[in-house]
Amino acid sequence: MQMIQILITGGTFDKSYNHLKGNLFFKKTHVPEMLTRSKSRLNVNVKTLMMIDSLEMTENDIEIIIKECLNSESKRIVITHGTDTMVRTAKKIEKKIKDKTIVLTGAMIPYAFGSSSDGFFNLGSALSFVQVLKKGVYIAMNGQYFKCDNVKKNMEKGFFE
Amino acid sequence: MQMIQILITGGTFDKSYNHLKGNLFFKKTHVPEMLTRSKSRLNVNVKTLMMIDSLEMTENDIEIIIKECLNSESKRIVITHGTDTMVRTAKKIEKKIKDKTIVLTGAMIPYAFGSSSDGFFNLGSALSFVQVLKKGVYIAMNGQYFKCDNVKKNMEKGFFE
Amino acid sequence: MQMIQILITGGTFDKSYNHLKGNLFFKKTHVPEMLTRSKSRLNVNVKTLMMIDSLEMTENDIEIIIKECLNSESKRIVITHGTDTMVRTAKKIEKKIKDKTIVLTGAMIPYAFGSSSDGFFNLGSALSFVQVLKKGVYIAMNGQYFKCDNVKKNMEKGFFE
Amino acid sequence: MQMIQILITGGTFDKSYNHLKGNLFFKKTHVPEMLTRSKSRLNVNVKTLMMIDSLEMTENDIEIIIKECLNSESKRIVITHGTDTMVRTAKKIEKKIKDKTIVLTGAMIPYAFGSSSDGFFNLGSALSFVQVLKKGVYIAMNGQYFKCDNVKKNMEKGFFE
């Protein structure tokens, strides 16, 4: 079975609650425990590139993501990413990489929020789409996939369209 | 957007806990609340055909499922199903239906079991595969999809291969 | 059975996640659903006085709480409250009210955070202590109860002592 | 701080889901992880005596529980127990032990069932009552405490009265 590369960048998806300060922060990614829980038998490699809010993602951060996608031996890559700038990052990746299937996903509610989070569903969705979509850069959110040049986040309603 | 038909048959996926009797039973499907939680924007129609353990599924039950698949106006159908006889049902559907994409899914741990269940991930996975796979009958479990004539459940280890 | 008054003031206990803005906010109290889940058969009356962070609680807010405690027909009162200024509020109540058993409680992690929150345990603890402790103002946190004049929150470690 | 002895006997409280067989079974107690989650600062000692359904509890099992209560250095003991025969066990303990505060608790829905279980609330309740009730044998369920000679489980409705 082909290996799927999973690259972690942070975003709402992976936010935790800091009970000393009473705010949200990044501790470590929940993706490995999510994979265990999913009983996934996929051949994956998980690599954390950064743990940041996507509103704070710089050009340099995007360069790091693109470089990792290029260097990965895998042709199929899932990237977890904050939703606010997910489309921007996807478009920048698409300009540089043409021969891989790359799917960005995230969450509207942190996985750590338990029974209200969409994150676990989205991970299942992104890992499925990445196996079957042809080369290109996509966003998998709200049960759907979108070509990165044909989507935007509706900031008022909180979904992609 | 094309409508996706979701057919509910029960299985571990949808088992609830009966606190008066101390055992597992079927109350009603969790799929609508799962769809709300997922923030899915898919155009779906959910129909409960039965709520049974797949070990108790009769030939007649399978006939009902096949008839619903045939009668549905949708070309893309997800069926929730107990894992024990999922492959058998899939093969029987495949003999009768050639022109639709049908994906069966389920869970190893009931959705009602909260943070240990694989069900929410599997629903995300099945709803994604059904949008992009070509005509045929598939099983979506463990993050993967399988053609129904090329898979079995490993009863000892609890996964599909 | 004697009625127990439950007064809601907000605090971490009742914070929800705003998926449009990506931050924590107050929507409505989780106490009624927590009581249903607990299968409590207590005779309680739940009243929301305010939904605020305890760091933002003013002298006027504390006056409102004290007035409600005085006016309640119940001799046994539980107050949910943010942990940061819980001790201060408790001391101010104690100066004014001598003939009731009043227990303040809260959470270090919001109830909405699911399987990591201490809130449900704390509610069980506070509702138990309030039934058996003699007149006075107490704080119930970390499985313990404290007289309000003999406790402080350890801000670095996040518990009461 | 006085040490509280916690004795584990199983019951619905501690049932887990066996995903290979599709039924409920006993693996190991959830009490230590519940204590961590509660941020309890109590001085407790947790000892697993057995992991059984209370309908299968024999006279010999009850003897073991009584012996442990007698031998424990602690004067304050919480026992987790299945609800079906909780009252019977409590009464037998009370015949033999007069000088300790002993509180039995359990759950109507397994702790492993996540956001629908009453178990975490009940543990908070039992650990609170045990600190303040005078010598005797009690049952803590549904937010209340009962003297063991003045309570029965309402089997039809699923609560104690």
Side-chain angles (χ1 to χ4, degrees):
Chain A
M1 194 194 311
Q2 247 185 355
M3 186 268 277
I4 299 171
Q5 179 77 57
I6 302 179
L7 300 177
I8 310 294
T9 75
T12 293
F13 189 88
D14 253 339
K15 279 187 180 160
S16 297
Y17 188 78
N18 183 338
H19 78 271
L20 295 179
K21 297 195 175 168
N23 59 9
L24 298 166
F25 76 135
F26 291 106
K27 207 160 49 176
K28 56 166 190 161
T29 178
H30 300 83
V31 168
E33 79 180 74
M34 292 166 84
L35 289 170
T36 301
R37 175 182 169 191
S38 76
K39 304 192 183 300
S40 160
R41 300 248 301 150
L42 297 171
N43 175 13
V44 299
N45 178 277
V46 180
K47 184 167 182 179
T48 300
L49 301 187
M50 59 201 77
M51 288 293 271
I52 59 172
D53 195 306
S54 76
L55 289 174
E56 293 167 12
M57 191 174 279
T58 63
E59 291 297 320
N60 190 46
D61 293 327
I62 297 174
E63 281 307 308
I64 291 170
I65 295 170
I66 291 172
K67 194 181 287 185
E68 279 291 328
C69 290
L70 286 169
N71 289 347
S72 171
E73 60 180 287
S74 177
K75 292 286 189 193
R76 300 188 179 276
I77 300 174
V78 166
I79 303 173
T80 66
H81 196 290
T83 57
D84 284 327
T85 67
M86 190 184 276
V87 174
R88 184 188 66 176
T89 300
K91 284 178 179 168
K92 297 207 178 203
I93 296 171
E94 208 227 3
K95 278 190 196 147
K96 299 288 180 59
I97 306 178
K98 304 291 184 189
D99 65 335
K100 301 196 173 194
T101 301
I102 298 176
V103 178
L104 287 82
T105 195
M108 295 308 297
I109 297 184
Y111 181 69
F113 255 88
S115 58
S116 58
S117 172
D118 52 334
F120 195 46
F121 179 95
N122 293 346
L123 185 63
S125 181
L127 284 170
S128 300
F129 281 131
V130 84
Q131 293 175 66
V132 284
L133 290 173
K134 57 189 182 189
K135 288 162 189 174
V137 182
Y138 305 87
I139 280 173
M141 288 292 291
N142 308 117
Q144 301 176 268
Y145 72 96
F146 305 91
K147 284 287 301 175
C148 68
D149 51 7
N150 192 26
V151 59
K152 64 177 174 50
K153 182 178 173 186
N154 182 323
M155 291 294 186
E156 271 172 54
K157 299 194 175 162
F159 53 71
F160 286 77
E161 59 191 4
Chain B
M1 194 193 312
Q2 246 186 355
M3 187 266 278
I4 298 172
Q5 178 77 58
I6 302 180
L7 300 176
I8 310 294
T9 76
T12 294
F13 189 88
D14 253 341
K15 278 186 180 160
S16 296
Y17 187 76
N18 183 338
H19 78 271
L20 295 178
K21 298 196 174 168
N23 58 11
L24 298 166
F25 76 135
F26 291 106
K27 208 162 45 177
K28 56 168 190 159
T29 179
H30 301 81
V31 168
E33 79 180 74
M34 292 166 84
L35 288 170
T36 301
R37 174 182 169 192
S38 76
K39 303 190 183 300
S40 160
R41 300 247 302 150
L42 297 170
N43 175 13
V44 298
N45 177 277
V46 180
K47 184 167 183 181
T48 300
L49 301 187
M50 59 201 77
M51 287 293 272
I52 59 172
D53 195 304
S54 76
L55 289 173
E56 292 167 12
M57 192 173 279
T58 64
E59 290 298 318
N60 190 47
D61 293 326
I62 297 174
E63 280 308 307
I64 291 170
I65 296 169
I66 291 172
K67 193 180 289 182
E68 280 291 328
C69 290
L70 285 169
N71 289 347
S72 171
E73 60 180 287
S74 177
K75 292 285 189 193
R76 301 189 178 275
I77 300 173
V78 166
I79 303 171
T80 66
H81 196 288
T83 58
D84 284 328
T85 68
M86 189 185 276
V87 174
R88 185 189 63 175
T89 300
K91 284 178 179 167
K92 297 208 179 204
I93 296 171
E94 208 226 3
K95 279 191 196 147
K96 299 288 179 58
I97 305 177
K98 304 291 184 190
D99 66 335
K100 300 196 174 193
T101 300
I102 298 176
V103 178
L104 287 81
T105 195
M108 296 308 297
I109 298 184
Y111 180 68
F113 255 88
S115 59
S116 59
S117 172
D118 51 334
F120 195 47
F121 178 96
N122 293 346
L123 184 63
S125 181
L127 284 171
S128 300
F129 282 132
V130 85
Q131 294 174 66
V132 284
L133 290 174
K134 58 187 181 189
K135 287 162 190 173
V137 182
Y138 305 86
I139 281 173
M141 287 292 292
N142 308 118
Q144 301 175 268
Y145 72 97
F146 305 91
K147 284 287 298 176
C148 68
D149 53 6
N150 192 26
V151 59
K152 65 178 174 50
K153 182 178 172 185
N154 182 323
M155 292 295 186
E156 271 172 54
K157 298 193 176 163
F159 54 71
F160 286 77
E161 61 190 3
Chain C
M1 192 194 312
Q2 247 184 355
M3 188 266 279
I4 299 171
Q5 179 76 57
I6 302 180
L7 300 177
I8 310 294
T9 75
T12 293
F13 189 87
D14 254 340
K15 278 187 182 160
S16 298
Y17 187 77
N18 183 338
H19 77 272
L20 294 179
K21 297 196 176 168
N23 59 11
L24 297 166
F25 76 136
F26 291 106
K27 206 160 48 175
K28 55 168 192 161
T29 178
H30 300 83
V31 167
E33 78 179 74
M34 292 167 82
L35 289 169
T36 301
R37 175 182 169 191
S38 77
K39 303 189 183 302
S40 160
R41 300 250 301 152
L42 297 170
N43 175 12
V44 299
N45 177 277
V46 180
K47 184 168 182 178
T48 300
L49 301 187
M50 58 201 77
M51 288 292 272
I52 58 173
D53 195 306
S54 76
L55 289 173
E56 293 166 13
M57 192 174 278
T58 63
E59 290 298 319
N60 190 46
D61 293 325
I62 297 174
E63 281 308 307
I64 291 170
I65 296 170
I66 290 172
K67 192 180 288 183
E68 279 292 329
C69 291
L70 285 168
N71 289 348
S72 170
E73 60 181 287
S74 176
K75 291 287 189 191
R76 301 188 179 276
I77 300 173
V78 166
I79 303 172
T80 66
H81 196 290
T83 58
D84 284 327
T85 68
M86 190 185 276
V87 175
R88 184 189 66 176
T89 300
K91 284 178 178 167
K92 297 207 177 200
I93 296 171
E94 208 226 3
K95 278 189 195 147
K96 299 287 180 57
I97 306 176
K98 303 291 185 191
D99 66 336
K100 301 196 173 194
T101 301
I102 299 176
V103 178
L104 286 82
T105 194
M108 296 309 296
I109 296 184
Y111 180 68
F113 255 87
S115 58
S116 58
S117 172
D118 52 333
F120 195 47
F121 179 97
N122 293 346
L123 185 64
S125 181
L127 284 170
S128 300
F129 281 131
V130 84
Q131 293 174 65
V132 285
L133 291 173
K134 58 187 180 189
K135 286 161 189 175
V137 182
Y138 305 86
I139 279 172
M141 287 291 292
N142 308 117
Q144 301 176 270
Y145 71 96
F146 305 91
K147 285 287 299 175
C148 68
D149 53 6
N150 192 27
V151 58
K152 65 176 172 51
K153 181 177 172 186
N154 182 323
M155 291 294 184
E156 271 172 56
K157 299 194 176 163
F159 53 72
F160 286 76
E161 60 191 3
Chain D
M1 194 195 310
Q2 246 185 355
M3 188 267 277
I4 299 171
Q5 179 76 57
I6 302 179
L7 300 176
I8 310 294
T9 76
T12 292
F13 189 87
D14 254 340
K15 278 187 181 159
S16 298
Y17 187 77
N18 183 338
H19 77 271
L20 294 179
K21 298 195 175 168
N23 59 10
L24 298 166
F25 76 135
F26 291 106
K27 206 160 47 175
K28 57 169 190 161
T29 179
H30 300 83
V31 168
E33 78 179 74
M34 292 166 83
L35 289 169
T36 301
R37 175 181 167 191
S38 76
K39 303 191 182 299
S40 161
R41 300 249 302 150
L42 297 170
N43 175 12
V44 299
N45 178 276
V46 181
K47 183 167 182 179
T48 300
L49 301 187
M50 58 202 77
M51 287 293 272
I52 59 173
D53 196 305
S54 76
L55 290 173
E56 292 167 13
M57 192 174 278
T58 64
E59 290 298 319
N60 190 46
D61 293 326
I62 297 173
E63 280 309 306
I64 290 169
I65 296 169
I66 291 172
K67 192 179 289 182
E68 280 291 330
C69 290
L70 286 168
N71 289 348
S72 170
E73 62 181 285
S74 176
K75 291 287 190 193
R76 301 189 179 275
I77 300 174
V78 166
I79 304 172
T80 66
H81 196 289
T83 58
D84 284 327
T85 69
M86 191 184 275
V87 174
R88 184 188 66 176
T89 300
K91 284 177 177 167
K92 297 208 178 202
I93 296 171
E94 207 226 4
K95 279 190 195 147
K96 300 287 179 57
I97 306 177
K98 304 291 186 191
D99 65 335
K100 300 195 173 193
T101 300
I102 298 177
V103 178
L104 286 81
T105 196
M108 297 307 297
I109 296 184
Y111 180 68
F113 254 88
S115 58
S116 58
S117 172
D118 52 332
F120 195 47
F121 179 96
N122 293 347
L123 185 64
S125 181
L127 284 171
S128 300
F129 282 131
V130 84
Q131 293 174 66
V132 284
L133 291 173
K134 59 188 180 188
K135 287 162 190 174
V137 182
Y138 305 86
I139 280 173
M141 287 292 292
N142 308 117
Q144 300 177 270
Y145 72 96
F146 305 92
K147 283 287 299 176
C148 67
D149 52 6
N150 193 26
V151 60
K152 66 177 171 52
K153 182 178 172 185
N154 182 324
M155 290 295 184
E156 270 171 57
K157 299 195 177 162
F159 53 72
F160 286 77
E161 61 191 3

